[in-house]
Amino acid sequence: MEHGNRSVWRSLVAIVTRRKVDRDLEEELRDHLERDVAWRVRAGVDPAEARRLAMADLGGVVRTREEVRDVHGITRLEDLARDVRFAFRRLRRDPRHALLATLTLGIGIGAATAVFSAVDGVLLKPLPFRSPDELVMVWHTKPREGLERLDLAPGTFLDLQERARDVVRLAASNPWGLNFTSPGITEHLEAWQLTEGFLELVGVAPHLGRAFEPRDFQTGAAPVVLLDHGFWQRRFGGDAGIIGRQLRLDGNAVTVIGVMPPGFALPVATNLWTPWIWSDDQRNDRFASYIRVYGRLQPGATLEGARVTMATIAVQLAAEHPRSNTGVGLAVERLEDYVVGSRRPLLWTLLGAAAILVLVTLANVGALQLTRLGRQRREAAVRAALGASGSQLVRPLVAEALVLAALGGALGLALGWAGVRALLALGPQDLPRLSEIQVDWRAAMAAAVLCLLATVALAMPSVLRLARERASAGRTVAGSRHASRTRRVAVSAQLALGLLLLIGTTLLVRSFLLVLSADRGYRTEGVLSFTTWVYEEYPDAPRRLAFVTTVFERLGALPGVRAVSMGSSLPLAEGITGEEADIIPSGTAQVPGEERTARGAVVWPTYFETLGMRLLRGRALERTDDGRGAMVVVVNEAFVRRFYPGEDPIGRTVSVGLMGRAIPRTIVGVVGDTRHVRLDAPPEPAVYIPWPQMPLASLTFVLRTDGDPASLAAAVTQAMFEIDPRVGVARVATLEGLVDQRLRERRFMLTLLGAFAVAAVAIAVVGVFGVMSQAVADRTREIGVRMALGASPGVVLAEFLAEAGRTTAVGVAAGLGIAVFATGLLTRFLYGVARLDAVSVAVAVLLVSALAALAAALPSWRAARINPARVLQEP
């Protein structure tokens, strides 16, 4: 093997320095010849005879030179270069074939390269941490409620850190928010607090500056912060002098000590990281679950061992702290599964669709190459008559395939690069590891492999056909029939795979339309929202009420604003879709581990009206529902169906525990169901508590406007700054924008699968046209004879259309058979539609059949219009 590598390297060097090698070889041979002649002359031989004898012994200068060149491999490489040049000349004589094959290959390779880049960047490349396979996540679970991923309470984390340290080293993070004040604006920034050793645990160092040190976690330490790389670029223009600068965060001076590397997004993409200095209350808290826990397996520990350890600790904690830990388990999973696990089905499905498109592409170019067998046969016959060997006949065919595959690969890489840009623009914004999706050397290698497959698909039909004809001594009729059958089989395969993609697309289209038309329970048009937090600025209820009243007055006076309201949650807004509330209907008892829950929100009385939610029974919340009156609550239909089926809930008492102990409340109204978290999921039970009775500091304001709500964003931000520059504004969004974001994954899947389906069906239809055109060309003389003997044009037309129909029917049948199994991969993306929905399947079948019939009609019509007299006059 090593000798072969050296030989190839010598050949490459020799071909690159060919002129110098030839010059040196000529000089060496000439010197050897002159020495031999001189020796013979000294021996008494006549000079002319001496030269003749020397030339005879050397075997001829030209032949010797060629033998030496063969040893260096120069001749073989020159033959390859000559074959490639010849292939370019042949393709120039048939530019339509070259263009069609290049475009077909480019589309298939480009689609596969783009999707492979996404799969590789998100799923295949290891996470950018030290020994990422050792990193894990630890979660609370509540099996009886079907909850598998819940954040931990601080007290539980400290217990785990102590009891599981022999198996796994743990660190925690806490979601945080800070108001960043700069001239003229206060912006609320998402941030995370990290426990000591977090960055060392994951194995990531800052891009600039230093990481947190133990002294930064001491009580009374000077406040410091690490910046996200993207935030540093956007806000500070990538200024390296940011290190040591002080920022105004929550009204305090905080020193920037470092900038994290690009792409670092733990626990999630954010703006800042700060040290988490624990308070005594936090250390003793076992009820509030809000911290994200990461771990690294100790040397020799396994994931299964860690799971067993955590299960044992969960049992211990339930016995020691029954009020907080009964029915609560502990789960351990790999960090990689958490980061990319939910996106695996999406990306693998798209890669499968791209693979189907590649198969369609290879089948098409293989069938397309069969149409050139006539010209290749004639060229091979001429070359064979001139004495060409079998390898010399095959080399031009392989060279032509190689040229076409290289051109298609180059176009595919360019289309793949553009496809990656489209993936980044169209893909869900929460798609993990977005920054790592790129056309790199790994994608280029994947494209190279596809080029090799394309070379085989292009060359194999011609090479096999040539070998068969040489073996059968030129009997071409059977070979022509074999080539025709091969083309029909290839086209049937293309139609089958194209139909499969089209069925998937029609299923997704129907699901998408059903999601769009589903009743959401609120009106999305003309609504602008934003969130703010006033924990420290307005610490008590009277001042918070005064602040909220001022905001209502100021924002309500803005041009185009029709109504303003507020609540602790907002439909479809990530992170603020409502909290889990414990529900205890009157006359029942709460059993530890079997708690009944509903989605809870604290809202201003006009919340329902502003969002357009329907009041079905009873009354809505009123301004008089404050802390001085009766404790009341409004519920939705799903709540009634679950807790009071077939009963009138108005006037009933239910205890609601939202972020605290359960308080008895009287149900005064029932509103319509809303799709609060997901558009494609059934409504959940929900309760709405009047904000005056529970004045939370987390406030999400909603404005209903007459015009485009997004146009008011700047005015709203400015108005809030003027009301109180200490209060930051975050999550400014329109409700329609939130809906669009929730639909983004479906739209992404539909767009890509639809594009693949269109490309595959188009390629298959072109294949039908090519096969029928070639069939007409192969049988032109036969048709002329038959028509001369009395066959009518209608009979000829019907015969060719029937042939196309048989090819299409075989492809459709095969596609339906594959779809029975393959559509199961789409189940998680479907809503309200069976995976073999009759309407979707029928639409796809009719569309493919109609397009195939249209593609076959033109060649068939041309066959029916053949002039027998002209055909019979041709030689």
Side-chain angles (χ1 to χ4, degrees):
M1 183 68 179
E2 184 179 351
H3 173 75
N5 291 337
R6 286 199 300 266
S7 177
V8 171
W9 176 250
R10 262 200 321 271
S11 299
L12 292 173
V13 172
I15 196 67
V16 171
T17 60
R18 183 180 59 183
R19 291 185 179 180
K20 183 179 183 302
V21 170
D22 286 347
R23 187 168 59 251
D24 293 344
L25 181 58
E26 291 286 354
E27 292 177 359
E28 184 178 349
L29 291 175
R30 188 181 303 109
D31 179 69
H32 180 80
L33 183 63
E34 293 302 330
R35 288 174 182 272
D36 194 5
V37 171
W39 177 79
R40 292 177 188 277
V41 169
R42 286 196 301 272
V45 181
D46 180 73
E49 180 66 13
R51 180 169 294 279
R52 187 186 67 79
L53 292 174
M55 291 282 287
D57 285 348
L58 191 59
V61 175
V62 174
R63 183 161 62 87
T64 301
R65 182 173 64 243
E66 293 304 317
E67 290 175 353
V68 174
R69 289 165 61 86
D70 284 342
V71 170
H72 285 282
I74 297 175
T75 303
R76 290 192 296 273
L77 291 174
E78 287 184 337
D79 289 343
L80 176 60
R82 188 162 44 250
D83 290 335
V84 170
R85 289 194 297 270
F86 181 58
F88 272 109
R89 288 199 297 272
R90 288 203 301 179
L91 292 174
R92 279 201 302 268
R93 292 198 300 268
D94 192 358
R96 287 183 299 178
H97 170 79
L99 180 61
L100 185 58
T102 300
L103 284 176
T104 302
L105 285 172
I107 292 172
I109 293 175
T113 300
V115 177
F116 173 81
S117 297
V119 172
D120 185 47
V122 176
L123 301 182
L124 302 183
K125 289 180 181 177
L127 296 176
F129 310 122
R130 174 174 55 83
S131 302
D133 56 314
E134 299 176 358
L135 294 173
V136 297
M137 301 283 296
V138 181
W139 305 100
H140 266 324
T141 65
K142 291 186 177 180
R144 295 175 183 175
E145 301 175 30
L147 302 174
E148 299 179 351
R149 279 182 180 170
L150 297 173
D151 292 331
L152 268 64
T156 301
F157 164 71
L158 294 177
D159 285 335
L160 295 182
Q161 205 174 31
E162 175 65 25
R163 302 185 189 193
R165 60 184 176 183
D166 292 337
V167 178
V168 60
R169 183 158 54 99
L170 299 176
S173 55
N174 175 33
W176 200 242
L178 297 165
N179 288 329
F180 171 50
T181 304
S182 58
I185 189 172
T186 298
E187 178 183 3
H188 186 85
L189 300 179
E190 302 290 342
W192 282 82
Q193 293 179 315
L194 306 179
T195 60
E196 184 175 352
F198 184 98
L199 297 178
E200 291 78 8
L201 183 140
V202 298
V204 175
H207 173 72
L208 289 176
R210 68 170 178 88
F212 296 132
E213 298 177 351
R215 57 190 169 94
D216 298 321
F217 295 89
Q218 300 299 316
T219 301
V224 294
V225 66
L226 288 171
L227 303 184
D228 169 66
H229 191 276
F231 175 72
W232 170 59
Q233 292 282 353
R234 291 190 305 272
R235 175 64 70 177
F236 304 104
D239 180 12
I242 190 67
I243 305 300
R245 188 183 304 177
Q246 290 189 332
L247 305 182
R248 203 72 181 172
L249 299 175
D250 279 347
N252 302 313
V254 181
T255 303
V256 177
I257 61 170
V259 176
M260 296 304 291
F264 180 72
L266 282 185
V268 295
T270 189
N271 298 299
L272 309 169
W273 293 268
T274 63
W276 188 2
I277 302 174
W278 291 56
S279 67
D280 291 338
D281 289 340
Q282 289 174 328
R283 292 178 180 277
N284 297 320
D285 187 357
R286 297 181 177 278
F287 290 91
S289 299
Y290 59 88
I291 66 174
R292 196 74 49 87
V293 177
Y294 294 79
R296 180 177 291 276
L297 297 175
Q298 297 286 18
T302 64
L303 183 64
E304 288 305 318
R307 287 171 174 165
V308 171
T309 299
M310 291 299 175
T312 302
I313 294 174
V315 173
Q316 295 171 355
L317 294 178
E320 297 169 12
H321 308 283
R323 290 185 59 240
S324 59
N325 288 78
T326 298
V328 177
L330 289 168
V332 184
E333 69 171 332
R334 293 199 181 277
L335 176 62
E336 180 182 13
D337 292 334
Y338 167 69
V339 172
V340 303
S342 63
R343 296 303 185 187
R344 280 197 178 102
L346 170 67
L347 293 175
W348 284 125
T349 301
L350 290 177
L351 187 62
I356 291 174
L357 181 58
V358 169
L359 292 176
V360 173
T361 299
L362 296 179
N364 184 270
V365 295
L368 185 65
Q369 198 71 354
L370 288 172
T371 64
R372 294 171 53 81
L373 287 180
R375 174 177 294 177
Q376 292 172 347
R377 186 187 305 121
R378 291 190 293 272
E379 291 178 354
V382 173
R383 291 166 66 89
L386 295 175
S389 64
S391 63
Q392 290 173 326
L393 294 177
V394 168
R395 278 204 325 259
L397 303 177
V398 175
E400 180 177 316
L402 187 61
V403 168
L404 286 173
L407 292 174
L411 177 61
L413 274 177
L415 293 177
W417 181 87
V420 166
R421 305 277 79 74
L423 288 178
L424 296 177
L426 295 173
Q429 294 303 304
D430 58 347
L431 188 68
R433 309 179 69 184
L434 272 177
S435 62
E436 298 179 52
I437 299 178
Q438 56 184 329
V439 180
D440 55 10
W441 68 269
R442 294 160 64 102
M445 290 298 296
V449 170
L450 294 179
C451 286
L452 291 177
L453 293 176
T455 302
V456 173
L458 285 162
M460 191 62 69
S462 300
V463 172
L464 293 178
R465 173 71 179 137
L466 177 63
R468 190 179 298 110
E469 286 192 356
R470 286 171 64 84
S472 61
R475 294 192 295 271
T476 61
V477 174
S480 177
R481 290 174 181 171
H482 177 81
S484 178
R485 286 196 300 271
T486 302
R487 288 195 296 268
R488 289 198 297 271
V489 169
V491 169
S492 294
Q494 295 172 53
L495 288 171
L497 296 175
L499 176 62
L500 175 62
L501 292 179
L502 194 58
I503 288 175
T505 301
T506 53
L507 288 171
L508 292 179
V509 168
R510 290 207 70 202
S511 295
F512 189 74
L513 294 176
L514 288 173
V515 170
L516 284 179
S517 61
D519 182 14
R520 302 186 185 111
Y522 46 82
R523 293 166 50 202
T524 59
E525 71 281 358
V527 176
L528 179 72
S529 69
F530 66 91
T531 301
T532 189
W533 295 263
V534 292
Y535 291 96
E536 297 180 1
E537 293 80 5
Y538 300 96
D540 54 59
R543 281 186 281 184
R544 287 179 189 173
L545 178 60
F547 171 75
V548 168
T549 303
T550 301
V551 172
F552 284 164
E553 293 174 353
R554 182 64 181 274
L555 297 186
L558 293 177
V561 174
R562 292 169 47 195
V564 183
S565 192
M566 178 268 294
S568 65
S569 73
L570 185 69
L572 308 180
E574 189 71 31
I576 52 171
T577 53
E579 300 288 339
E580 185 180 87
D582 293 326
I583 301 299
I584 309 174
S586 59
T588 65
Q590 187 179 46
V591 179
E594 298 182 6
E595 293 87 354
R596 287 163 287 191
T597 62
R599 186 163 298 278
V602 180
V603 301
W604 193 256
T606 58
Y607 181 84
F608 307 122
E609 180 183 356
T610 304
L611 285 182
M613 296 171 60
R614 301 185 304 274
L615 178 65
L616 303 179
R617 274 182 281 182
R619 67 171 177 86
L621 299 177
E622 298 174 353
R623 288 292 300 269
T624 56
D625 294 322
D626 54 25
R628 294 169 295 183
M631 307 300 281
V632 299
V633 67
V634 168
V635 302
N636 68 346
E637 291 179 282
F639 184 96
V640 176
R641 286 194 298 270
R642 179 172 180 181
F643 298 107
Y644 298 98
E647 302 178 34
D648 184 2
I650 303 300
R652 298 292 187 92
T653 300
V654 58
S655 294
V656 179
L658 182 63
M659 294 179 284
R661 66 183 182 87
I663 298 175
R665 295 180 178 275
T666 302
I667 299 175
V668 296
V670 178
V671 295
D673 287 335
T674 60
R675 297 178 189 270
H676 229 68
V677 181
R678 292 179 52 185
L679 293 170
D680 55 358
E684 303 175 74
V687 294
Y688 300 92
I689 298 171
W691 187 86
Q693 293 185 357
M694 192 176 180
L696 300 180
S698 175
L699 310 173
T700 295
F701 291 91
V702 289
L703 293 76
R704 180 162 294 282
T705 67
D706 289 323
D708 178 17
S711 63
L712 287 173
V716 167
T717 302
Q718 181 62 33
M720 291 299 296
F721 183 81
E722 293 173 358
I723 292 171
D724 190 338
R726 300 173 301 166
V727 176
V729 172
R731 298 173 177 171
V732 180
T734 66
L735 198 49
E736 286 186 331
L738 295 175
V739 171
D740 182 73
Q741 184 62 35
R742 292 289 180 165
L743 293 173
R744 200 174 180 95
E745 180 175 317
R746 286 187 172 278
R747 189 179 289 113
F748 176 67
M749 183 74 174
L750 175 59
T751 301
L752 288 187
L753 191 61
F756 293 165
V758 169
V761 172
I763 291 172
V765 168
V766 170
V768 172
F769 178 82
V771 164
M772 297 307 300
S773 297
Q774 188 63 34
V776 172
D778 291 342
R779 298 175 58 187
T780 296
R781 193 168 186 84
E782 173 200 335
I783 296 169
V785 172
R786 290 176 57 193
M787 295 183 72
L789 295 176
S792 67
V795 171
V796 173
L797 177 63
E799 181 179 340
F800 277 91
L801 288 178
E803 179 179 340
R806 287 191 293 271
T807 301
T808 302
V810 171
V812 168
L816 289 174
I818 299 172
V820 170
F821 304 97
T823 51
L825 298 173
L826 294 177
T827 302
R828 72 182 301 269
F829 303 106
L830 300 181
Y831 171 75
V833 177
R835 67 183 186 89
L836 290 176
D837 175 63
V839 174
S840 302
V841 172
V843 168
V845 169
L846 289 175
L847 185 58
V848 168
S849 301
L851 291 174
L854 288 174
L858 183 58
S860 302
W861 180 254
R862 192 167 64 245
R865 293 172 60 83
I866 286 177
N867 188 332
R870 181 178 301 171
V871 171
L872 296 177
Q873 287 175 357
E874 294 177 354

